[in-house]
């Protein structure tokens, strides 16, 4: 269980801080929720305490885990996704909700390279943009690196993969 003041990572939103834990009613059932405010300060969301980990909520990575993720970017390869949008969406959502940053990197690399030769749906563009934002925000937060450094690393890997296709 997380505590008020903990800094966490939440898929599709990035780094946030737990501002409070409060009871709220959803579908007629009273449950505890984490109230998260994200680093830009404009987004506040509530995540059910009981399902937080299944939804991908986790503590931010350690510096060593972030360095490993950066190393992984240079090795990541695109995954061949189904041509059926619903199957792709289910796969991508499960990867992102796992909370595993390496799976997030795989999604970013796969969607980015797919966009170069097949095009992406509007939903895939949103997922790609949010995934990059989440990954970059966590790596820059933990390692105190400028966003442009991480973004350039991702872009360089994507360009390299596209050239090899």
């Amino acid at each position: 269980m997380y505590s008020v003041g903990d800094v966490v990572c939440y898929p599709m939103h990035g780094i946030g801080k737990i501002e409070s834990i409060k009871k709220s009613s959803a579908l007629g059932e009273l449950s505890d929720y984490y109230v998260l405010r994200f680093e830009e300060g404009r987004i506040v969301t509530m995540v059910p305490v009981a399902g937080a980990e299944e939804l991908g909520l986790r503590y931010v990575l350690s510096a060593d885990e972030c360095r490993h993720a950066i190393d992984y970017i240079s090795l990541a390869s695109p995954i061949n996704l189904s041509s059926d949008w619903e199957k792709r969406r289910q796969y991508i959502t499960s990867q992102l909700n796992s909370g595993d940053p390496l799976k997030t990197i795989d999604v970013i690399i796969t969607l980015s390279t797919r966009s170069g030769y097949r095009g992406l749906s509007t939903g895939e563009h949103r997922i790609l943009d949010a995934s990059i934002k989440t990954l970059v925000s966590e790596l820059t937060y933990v390692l105190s690196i400028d966003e442009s450094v991480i973004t350039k690393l991702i872009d360089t890997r994507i360009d390299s993969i596209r050239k090899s296709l």
Side-chain angles (χ1 to χ4, degrees):
M1 185 166 183
Y2 302 100
S3 302
V4 172
D6 285 348
V7 178
V8 294
C9 185
Y10 188 55
M12 307 309 283
H13 290 299
I15 300 296
K17 185 180 249 185
I18 298 177
E19 284 194 335
S20 63
I21 300 171
K22 70 181 198 179
K23 291 198 180 293
S24 188
S25 180
L27 301 172
E29 189 174 319
L30 193 63
S31 299
D32 289 327
Y33 288 83
Y34 295 116
V35 178
L36 304 175
R37 179 172 302 276
F38 294 92
E39 68 179 11
E40 291 148 4
R42 293 176 293 183
I43 300 174
V44 177
T45 192
M46 293 174 50
V47 177
V49 170
E53 285 168 14
E54 291 82 25
L55 295 171
L57 187 69
R58 61 173 172 77
Y59 286 108
V60 295
L61 300 172
S62 69
D64 283 343
E65 290 169 322
C66 284
R67 285 188 282 278
H68 177 69
I70 288 171
D71 290 341
Y72 185 79
I73 290 169
S74 64
L75 302 172
S77 295
I79 297 163
N80 190 15
L81 295 177
S82 170
S83 60
D84 178 271
W85 158 239
E86 185 58 30
K87 288 181 182 176
R88 285 196 317 270
R89 186 192 62 74
Q90 287 174 351
Y91 173 77
I92 290 166
T93 301
S94 72
Q95 294 297 91
L96 296 176
N97 287 348
S98 74
D100 182 342
L102 303 184
K103 290 181 180 180
T104 299
I105 292 167
D106 287 339
V107 167
I108 291 168
I109 297 296
T110 299
L111 289 179
S112 295
T113 53
R114 181 181 176 82
S115 72
Y117 64 92
R118 290 215 174 133
L120 298 178
S121 69
T122 303
E124 287 170 314
H125 274 291
R126 279 194 298 258
I127 290 169
L128 176 59
D129 292 344
S131 298
I132 291 171
K133 181 180 172 196
T134 298
L135 179 68
V136 170
S137 73
E138 183 168 19
L139 296 177
T140 57
Y141 173 82
V142 173
L143 297 174
S144 299
I145 295 174
D146 189 77
E147 284 183 20
S148 64
V149 172
I150 303 299
T151 303
K152 182 174 170 99
L153 180 65
I154 293 168
D155 290 344
T156 300
R157 180 61 184 146
I158 292 163
D159 289 344
S160 167
I161 291 170
R162 283 184 180 158
K163 288 175 184 171
S164 71
L165 294 177

